[in-house]
Amino acid sequence: MPRRRSVLTTLLIVLPWTILLTIWHQNPATRYLTILRKETYENSTAKSLQILINVTQIKEEQHTACAHQQESTPAQQTARRYVYSRPPGWSRWLPTIYVITPTYTRPVQKAELTRLANTFLHVPNLHWIVVEDSPRRTNLVDSLLERSGLNFTHLNVESPKSVRIGLAKDSSHTPRGTLQRNLGLRWLRENLILSDSLEGVVYFADDDNTYSLELFEEMRSTQKVSVWPVAFVGGLRYEAPKLNAAGKVVGWKTVFDPNRPFAIDMAGFAINVRLVLKRPRANFQLNGVKGGYQETSLLKDLVTIAELEPKAANCTKVLVWHTRTEKPTLVNEGRQGFTDLKVEV
Amino acid sequence: MPKRRDILAIVLIVLPWTLLITVWHQNAIAPLLAIRKASHHLIKELFIMPERLGVRWHQLADDGSDARRDAGQGPDSKEYCSSDKDIVEVVRTEYVYTRPPPWSDALPTIHVITPTYSRPVQKAELTRLANTFLHVTNLHWILVEDSQRRTALVTRLLHETGLNYTHLNVETPRNYKLRGDMRDPRIPRGTMQRNLALRWLRETCNVNQSQPAIVYFADDDNTYSLEVFEEMRSTRKVSVWPVAFVGGLRYESPKVNAAGKVYGWKTVFDPHRPFAIDMAGFAVNLRLILFKPQAYFKLRGVKGGYQESSLLRELVTLNDLEPKAANCTKILVWHTRTEKPVLVNEGKKGFTDPNLEI
């Protein structure tokens, strides 16, 4: 009996240590968390107490430490180290934000995508799906995405000429970007596997809008579909969902057609990616969509108004602006062009 | 005797297993997710540590949003030390980085002077500008409002970004002869604000300063790549580069000869100006600004397109210009302009809540 016990004990000791040694041996590049201490306590004792934890998946950490003092402690100062990188390291704990951006070639395209990328570079766990309205993926967008350092997917689908030029029957409101957004949704459905552990949010971000960093943190917790106010839409300073006292969406604070099922702009909602995968038929309607109803054409197949989750402090803060960029005047280019076309603008 | 051995055995067993579980917890992959859920409880297990050191990390999933907002507001004072326990809770922390990169003593500072004025898109413009500036090391933003008083909107925005900034204001005199509160059209827009910033620099910065610095004029509606800031950092006197969407062209650019010297301007509109360049197309070394304290943008009597010349001719000659952006062959800054938003549906009385800031 005692013999069996000592065998068992030896096994229980040897096994985990060998596994640990194997892991540490296999990951020489593994970074270990070190505990930061207050300057006054920087001594070898701290170093000898490093806890070794494998953090290969997480590139940057910010550690706080509080030194435990035996004498009376003054303020509980935390030592912080900002490890800065572009973009912030991928984290296993944050739901991924899939941002779908339709884009098309025009003079200001590179500028728009540049400043958009500059914003996205601050957002952790962001996956940018850029869908060009073009027959082929262009070099301009390709190299911009590569150089940015962002996590991205580069797609393209060409809209029929009528849509692009704006000669559709419904010339009052040609749904631009529809095919591209639908392709983005299709990519998600083909490349992600629906499971309970899949966490993510889908957001449609046009390339000329302005996004605050807070917006992305607000949408991360979306369970089904979340909504918030958007500035400069509907001929107003902002449009916003109408909430009741219980914090549920009951209507829409808009002047233009407030009786639409979802009187909200493309930039005013986000969808949980699981919901997108669960409803594979839900897409933006391409033809026969009345002006202002494009968002509805998708959302009606995903959610009811009662299920909407209001964000941005119960829809009282504006975190996204529907800005539009002027078309630059290029009169002085003349017929033959003055500037060198090989220089990319 | 046997008792001590038992204790030793127990420690030798428990310690590696908990370490292993922590490691697997970090490397949670789908099949191990279930184990993760079980080990979540174990993560809070207690490590035995000497009294001198207490460690406490936080699990982002629990208080993620709070952690991020705290990160933008300064040191987190919610920590506490368990002062009377040997045993400490261990939980991991992660923060979102919205801070500018740490200051470096090795790099020249870039003082970015931005004049701004109140209009509906102001907050949007400043927000996306700040999002770009937050990537640039050693950037000092000098924001000058065209207003009687520094507004709450800009004050709050600057504070929340976490950028290194100086907030100034000076009001361009109104021309009361015109309708409404139009500013004096004879004074080019932003001039008084840029001059105020130059004056602030001259009053604040010491000529004998060891750390070099660069001055750049950045309007709040332009678009800047991150590269342009790195290009301008090496400016010795005045550096220049191409700018897109100015002068009615795809871009305007300096003409650079084979020796790498600027000898003219590739523009259609008045290429014979002393400096046919846009405000966003040049940067000046701070030393030069301080050595020539009389150099300012001319306020009145400036012909269209000559504002930049009115300053630069006091500072430098064409020969001294340093071409950047691969000898002026790359576009790193775009003179974009934002459309004025249509607000017809506000009507006379206003539909939206005026207290809600946009």
Side-chain angles (χ1 to χ4, degrees):
Chain A
M1 253 311 239
R3 195 146 166 222
R4 223 182 285 175
R5 239 179 71 185
S6 59
V7 169
L8 181 65
T9 318
T10 321
L11 189 67
L12 276 176
I13 293 173
V14 168
L15 183 64
W17 283 111
T18 33
I19 296 177
L20 272 175
L21 284 170
T22 323
I23 291 177
W24 288 330
H25 180 72
Q26 272 177 2
N27 293 324
T30 302
R31 303 215 262 103
Y32 301 95
L33 271 181
T34 55
I35 305 159
L36 287 184
R37 319 200 63 206
K38 251 169 74 168
E39 283 109 336
T40 49
Y41 280 82
E42 212 160 322
N43 52 38
S44 54
T45 324
K47 287 181 189 143
S48 67
L49 288 171
Q50 284 177 22
I51 295 182
L52 305 175
I53 294 181
N54 187 326
V55 289
T56 43
Q57 311 299 336
I58 295 138
K59 294 201 192 106
E60 288 86 32
E61 314 282 326
Q62 182 174 336
H63 323 304
T64 57
C66 88
H68 178 88
Q69 302 176 28
Q70 279 164 345
E71 287 83 60
S72 59
T73 310
Q76 314 262 323
Q77 273 219 310
T78 54
R80 283 178 170 222
R81 187 169 67 202
Y82 295 102
V83 184
Y84 177 85
S85 84
R86 292 198 314 260
W90 205 267
S91 157
R92 293 207 159 271
W93 320 123
L94 294 177
T96 303
I97 299 180
Y98 298 95
V99 179
I100 298 178
T101 298
T103 185
Y104 65 103
T105 303
R106 77 275 197 198
V108 295
Q109 181 188 38
K110 192 177 182 189
E112 303 281 43
L113 294 177
T114 299
R115 56 184 169 184
L116 207 55
N118 288 346
T119 293
F120 291 163
L121 278 166
H122 290 293
V123 185
N125 287 36
L126 186 142
H127 184 117
W128 197 12
I129 302 172
V130 179
V131 193
E132 290 197 73
D133 186 343
S134 60
R136 260 168 299 280
R137 301 200 312 238
T138 61
N139 267 334
L140 185 150
V141 176
D142 204 36
S143 42
L144 187 145
L145 288 174
E146 296 271 352
R147 269 183 298 112
S148 69
L150 285 164
N151 212 326
F152 71 90
T153 294
H154 187 185
L155 308 170
N156 73 291
V157 60
E158 195 176 21
S159 299
K161 243 196 192 132
S162 56
V163 173
R164 266 184 298 134
I165 299 178
L167 295 174
K169 279 190 209 153
D170 238 300
S171 58
S172 58
H173 190 93
T174 315
R176 182 158 221 163
T178 313
L179 262 181
Q180 289 71 33
R181 293 188 191 98
N182 282 344
L183 183 64
L185 290 174
R186 201 178 100 183
W187 184 90
L188 287 169
R189 287 165 177 145
E190 288 175 355
N191 288 276
L192 295 180
I193 301 168
L194 177 59
S195 79
D196 279 336
S197 58
L198 177 67
E199 283 182 343
V201 180
V202 179
Y203 182 56
F204 297 99
D206 288 348
D207 62 7
D208 55 357
N209 291 343
T210 305
Y211 309 92
S212 68
L213 300 179
E214 214 181 317
L215 176 72
F216 298 102
E217 300 319 311
E218 286 287 303
M219 68 172 77
R220 243 188 252 276
S221 53
T222 304
Q223 298 300 311
K224 289 194 172 176
V225 175
S226 55
V227 293
W228 50 78
V230 178
F232 312 137
V233 284
L236 294 169
R237 283 168 74 246
Y238 64 88
E239 278 185 349
K242 220 188 278 184
L243 302 185
N244 63 11
K248 283 246 173 261
V249 178
V250 291
W252 311 98
K253 275 194 245 171
T254 76
V255 167
F256 169 66
D257 209 343
N259 299 316
R260 290 171 274 167
F262 296 91
I264 196 164
D265 181 77
M266 198 64 72
F269 65 91
I271 312 169
N272 189 308
V273 73
R274 280 200 304 274
L275 188 55
V276 170
L277 298 181
K278 273 189 214 162
R279 310 274 171 93
R281 295 270 175 78
N283 280 304
F284 288 103
Q285 198 180 322
L286 184 52
N287 296 309
V289 182
K290 249 188 356 182
Y293 280 76
Q294 216 203 1
E295 295 81 3
T296 301
S297 74
L298 171 73
L299 291 174
K300 71 181 197 312
D301 291 332
L302 292 173
V303 81
T304 63
I305 198 173
E307 293 171 311
L308 294 174
E309 302 149 54
K311 301 287 177 188
N314 266 346
C315 295
T316 57
K317 286 166 75 171
V318 169
L319 303 175
V320 56
W321 299 260
H322 193 279
T323 43
R324 288 166 56 94
T325 305
E326 276 184 21
K327 197 168 160 193
T329 45
L330 303 178
V331 276
N332 284 339
E333 289 289 344
R335 284 243 167 122
Q336 287 159 318
F338 178 83
T339 53
D340 184 354
L341 283 174
K342 285 195 251 86
V343 174
E344 188 183 82
V345 156
Chain B
M1 261 312 216
K3 241 187 188 166
R4 220 185 287 174
R5 250 184 38 199
D6 283 336
I7 296 174
L8 181 66
I10 292 171
V11 170
L12 276 178
I13 293 172
V14 168
L15 184 63
W17 280 111
T18 37
L19 278 175
L20 263 179
I21 287 162
T22 319
V23 168
W24 284 332
H25 182 71
Q26 301 294 330
N27 288 332
I29 46 183
L32 291 179
L33 228 57
I35 302 175
R36 171 195 166 189
K37 292 212 165 96
S39 69
H40 193 80
H41 180 71
L42 281 167
I43 280 298
K44 297 200 168 150
E45 187 164 295
L46 312 170
F47 286 98
I48 299 167
M49 301 178 79
E51 292 173 48
R52 260 168 294 156
L53 176 64
V55 175
R56 188 162 169 264
W57 304 316
H58 314 274
Q59 177 76 314
L60 181 72
D62 300 328
D63 57 336
S65 52
D66 295 332
R68 192 221 159 257
R69 286 198 194 108
D70 284 347
Q73 285 162 15
D76 183 350
S77 54
K78 289 203 290 203
E79 328 262 329
Y80 62 87
C81 300
S82 49
S83 51
D84 41 344
K85 290 193 249 185
D86 299 327
I87 301 166
V88 186
E89 218 178 74
V90 178
V91 187
R92 257 186 53 253
T93 301
E94 284 173 66
Y95 287 99
V96 174
Y97 297 91
T98 54
R99 297 270 173 127
W103 206 264
S104 157
D105 282 331
L107 293 176
T109 304
I110 299 179
H111 298 285
V112 179
I113 297 175
T114 300
T116 185
Y117 65 104
S118 292
R119 76 271 198 203
V121 296
Q122 182 188 38
K123 191 176 182 190
E125 303 281 43
L126 294 177
T127 298
R128 56 183 170 186
L129 205 58
N131 287 344
T132 293
F133 291 165
L134 277 166
H135 290 295
V136 184
T137 321
N138 286 30
L139 187 143
H140 174 217
W141 198 12
I142 305 174
L143 195 57
V144 193
E145 291 196 75
D146 186 344
S147 60
Q148 249 180 27
R149 262 172 292 278
R150 300 194 319 229
T151 60
L153 186 152
V154 175
T155 307
R156 233 174 306 138
L157 186 144
L158 283 173
H159 179 76
E160 279 169 6
T161 60
L163 283 164
N164 201 339
Y165 71 88
T166 295
H167 186 187
L168 307 171
N169 72 291
V170 62
E171 196 179 22
T172 309
R174 316 288 165 112
N175 187 340
Y176 293 107
K177 292 198 197 117
L178 294 179
R179 227 176 346 121
D181 78 332
M182 288 294 290
R183 275 128 178 111
D184 191 338
R186 292 171 299 170
I187 302 177
R189 178 150 240 168
T191 314
M192 289 188 67
Q193 288 70 37
R194 294 187 191 98
N195 282 344
L196 179 66
L198 287 175
R199 204 180 91 189
W200 181 90
L201 282 169
R202 284 163 176 147
E203 287 174 0
T204 314
C205 298
N206 193 351
V207 178
N208 300 320
Q209 227 166 272
S210 52
Q211 192 169 18
I214 315 294
V215 178
Y216 182 55
F217 298 97
D219 287 349
D220 62 8
D221 54 358
N222 291 343
T223 303
Y224 307 92
S225 68
L226 301 179
E227 281 160 78
V228 75
F229 298 104
E230 299 319 309
E231 288 286 304
M232 69 175 76
R233 247 188 248 276
S234 53
T235 305
R236 289 197 308 275
K237 287 192 175 180
V238 174
S239 55
V240 292
W241 50 79
V243 178
F245 311 138
V246 283
L249 295 168
R250 283 167 74 245
Y251 63 88
E252 276 185 349
S253 117
K255 265 195 230 176
V256 182
N257 64 16
K261 285 249 175 253
V262 177
Y263 68 96
W265 310 97
K266 271 193 249 169
T267 76
V268 167
F269 169 65
D270 209 343
H272 302 295
R273 289 172 273 165
F275 296 89
I277 196 165
D278 181 78
M279 199 65 73
F282 68 91
V284 186
N285 192 309
L286 181 65
R287 241 181 305 121
L288 196 54
I289 300 280
L290 300 177
F291 277 165
K292 309 268 175 91
Q294 312 302 330
Y296 280 100
F297 288 103
K298 195 153 176 253
L299 265 186
R300 288 186 173 82
V302 184
K303 256 195 332 189
Y306 280 77
Q307 218 206 0
E308 295 80 1
S309 298
S310 73
L311 172 75
L312 289 173
R313 66 164 201 265
E314 314 258 346
L315 294 172
V316 81
T317 63
L318 200 72
N319 202 35
D320 284 334
L321 295 175
E322 302 149 51
K324 301 288 176 187
N327 264 346
C328 295
T329 56
K330 286 165 70 171
I331 309 292
L332 303 175
V333 58
W334 299 261
H335 192 280
T336 44
R337 287 167 55 94
T338 306
E339 278 185 19
K340 198 169 161 190
V342 165
L343 302 179
V344 276
N345 284 338
E346 290 288 346
K348 281 218 170 146
K349 287 189 257 186
F351 177 83
T352 54
D353 180 1
N355 289 322
L356 208 155
E357 186 184 87
I358 52 161

